[in-house]
Amino acid sequence: VNSPVIARWGYDRDYGFKVMKKIFENNSNVRILDYKVYKDINNIDWDKEEGVIKLLSSDAGYKTTYIFHSKEELLNAIESFKDEYKEGILIQELCKGEEVAFGTFFVNSEPVLPVYVSFEFKKSINNKVGGNTGQSAEFGFYSTHPIVLSIVEDISNYLKKNNINYTGVIDINGGWEENKFHPYEWTVSRDGYPEIACWLVNEDFMNVLKTKQWSNTKFKYCLVIRLDDISNERKIYEFKVNEEEIKANNFIWIPECKFDGKKYITKDAHIVGLLYKESNEVENIEINSSWFSVPI
C-alpha cells in the first residue's frame, strides 16, 4: 500500500498527466484536458482565455490553485503568487462541468467493485466555511455503470501491463462535460480519509481482499467532528463523549484522539473524531451538541 510508483501520479502533476494519456488513449469516454508546464513564470504563452493554475507538485497545497477567466486575470495571478510559483506551474484547460471522482480499493491491481463515484460541493456549507479541498461536503454512491467500469478497468490493465502489483486506493478526480470524463488529477496513495472509513466500517475486509467485492453498499454518512473554539488557543483539550446516547441514535463513534479510561485527550488537532451512520435510504442527519462536553 502507498506505492511510491503510484504516489508519483498524484504529487508530480506533469507525470500524472502523461500516465493519464497512456491509460485512457483508447477510451472514448475520456478526454484529457490540454495543459502546459512552465518552469519560467516570466514566459507564459497560454493561448486560451480561461484555465486553472496549479503548482507542479500536489504536496504544495491547494491555496495556490487559481481559476482565471481572462489573460489579465492570468497575469495578475502570476504576479500575486510569484513567490509560490517561482519553482514552476502547470496551467490546465478549464472544464466547466460537474466535478466528479471515480475511486475504489485495488487488490493486486484488480479493482474492488462496485466503484465509488463521488461529487464534491466545496465551500457549500453555511457562510461558505470549510476548505476549498476534497471531501468537504461530499456525496457519493456505488456504481457499475459501463463508463465507470471502463475507467477503473483501464487503470487496472495499465497496472498489470506495466507489472505494477498494487493494493490500495486509487481515485481520479475530474469534470463531467459533454458526456465525457475530463480528468483533473490523481488522488492516489493518500489516506482518502474519511472516505476510506466509509468503505471499511462494518465491512468484512478479509472477504473484500478475497472476493474483490464490497458487500456493504448502503448509504453511509461519515461526519467529521471538529472543535469549535477558535477563540481559545489551547493546544490540549480534555473532554467527555456521551457514547451511550450516540449509540442509541444509531451512530458509531470513531475517536481520533487518546482515551485514558475516563476522558478523551486531543493535542495540536481540532478534529476529535467521526460519527458514522448507515441507512437504506437518504435521510437527514441530526447531531446533538450535548453528546460532547466541548463545543463542536
Side-chain angles (χ1 to χ4, degrees):
V1 178
N2 292 334
S3 154
V5 175
I6 304 295
R8 188 182 174 192
W9 298 6
Y11 70 73
D12 183 341
R13 287 191 164 118
D14 184 21
Y15 181 77
F17 264 104
K18 291 173 181 175
V19 171
M20 282 180 198
K21 287 181 178 180
K22 293 178 180 178
I23 290 177
F24 301 116
E25 60 183 349
N26 296 315
N27 193 327
S28 61
N29 303 307
V30 179
R31 177 178 171 267
I32 305 298
L33 296 166
D34 291 336
Y35 76 97
K36 282 189 175 182
V37 171
Y38 297 95
K39 295 293 180 69
D40 180 4
I41 61 171
N42 297 307
N43 187 23
I44 304 294
D45 62 349
W46 185 251
D47 58 1
K48 295 180 174 63
E49 281 293 309
E50 299 179 306
V52 183
I53 306 171
K54 297 181 177 181
L55 293 177
L56 294 177
S57 171
S58 65
D59 290 342
Y62 58 86
K63 293 181 179 179
T64 49
T65 296
Y66 188 87
I67 298 173
F68 62 89
H69 300 282
S70 68
K71 297 288 179 63
E72 183 181 9
E73 273 193 41
L74 167 59
L75 296 177
N76 288 340
I78 297 293
E79 180 64 26
S80 298
F81 295 102
K82 59 184 178 183
D83 289 338
E84 291 86 349
Y85 291 165
K86 63 184 178 181
E87 300 298 326
I89 59 173
L90 180 148
I91 300 182
Q92 183 184 87
E93 179 186 353
L94 180 64
C95 175
K96 296 182 179 180
E98 294 287 338
E99 186 169 350
V100 62
F102 304 116
T104 191
F105 204 88
F106 282 72
V107 179
N108 298 329
S109 301
E110 290 278 355
V112 175
L113 301 178
V115 179
Y116 180 67
V117 180
S118 64
F119 297 85
E120 293 172 355
F121 300 91
K122 299 171 181 175
K123 293 285 186 181
S124 61
I125 313 172
N126 291 342
N127 301 318
K128 302 295 184 182
V129 298
N132 186 28
T133 184
Q135 292 158 344
S136 176
E138 174 183 295
F139 175 80
F141 56 89
Y142 289 95
S143 175
T144 55
H145 189 282
I147 292 177
V148 175
L149 292 182
S150 75
I151 289 169
V152 296
E153 285 170 359
D154 281 353
I155 296 170
S156 176
N157 290 335
Y158 177 87
L159 294 172
K160 289 182 285 187
K161 180 180 177 181
N162 289 275
N163 297 314
I164 304 171
N165 188 14
Y166 178 69
T167 294
V169 176
I170 294 183
D171 187 86
I172 185 167
N173 190 47
W176 185 260
E177 187 177 35
E178 297 179 352
N179 212 32
K180 287 185 184 295
F181 179 56
H182 302 67
Y184 294 155
E185 59 191 11
W186 298 98
T187 50
V188 295
S189 279
R190 302 180 188 176
D191 290 341
Y193 195 71
E195 181 180 68
I196 191 65
C198 277
W199 294 350
L200 298 181
V201 173
N202 286 347
E203 187 74 72
D204 182 349
F205 191 55
M206 295 307 293
N207 192 55
V208 170
L209 294 175
K210 181 180 178 181
T211 65
K212 301 180 181 64
Q213 292 283 327
W214 299 115
S215 60
N216 182 16
T217 55
K218 293 181 179 180
F219 287 99
K220 302 174 182 181
Y221 303 90
C222 200
L223 308 174
V224 179
I225 306 302
R226 297 175 183 267
L227 288 171
D228 185 22
D229 195 7
I230 58 176
S231 63
N232 195 322
E233 296 183 356
R234 281 185 298 157
K235 296 286 186 180
I236 299 175
Y237 286 81
E238 296 182 355
F239 63 97
K240 293 185 178 181
V241 177
N242 191 334
E243 296 186 48
E244 289 186 6
E245 192 171 335
I246 288 173
K247 188 175 181 180
N249 283 272
N250 299 316
F251 282 97
I252 295 175
W253 165 242
I254 306 173
E256 280 288 281
C257 45
K258 292 182 179 179
F259 182 65
D260 68 0
K262 294 182 178 180
K263 59 185 179 297
Y264 287 98
I265 303 170
T266 181
K267 184 178 180 181
D268 294 329
H270 283 247
I271 296 177
V272 298
L274 307 172
L275 286 176
Y276 175 91
K277 189 175 186 180
E278 294 179 2
S279 173
N280 288 315
E281 58 187 19
V282 176
E283 62 181 53
N284 291 321
I285 298 295
E286 294 185 13
I287 306 173
N288 191 330
S289 60
S290 67
W291 295 350
F292 303 88
S293 66
V294 286
I296 60 166

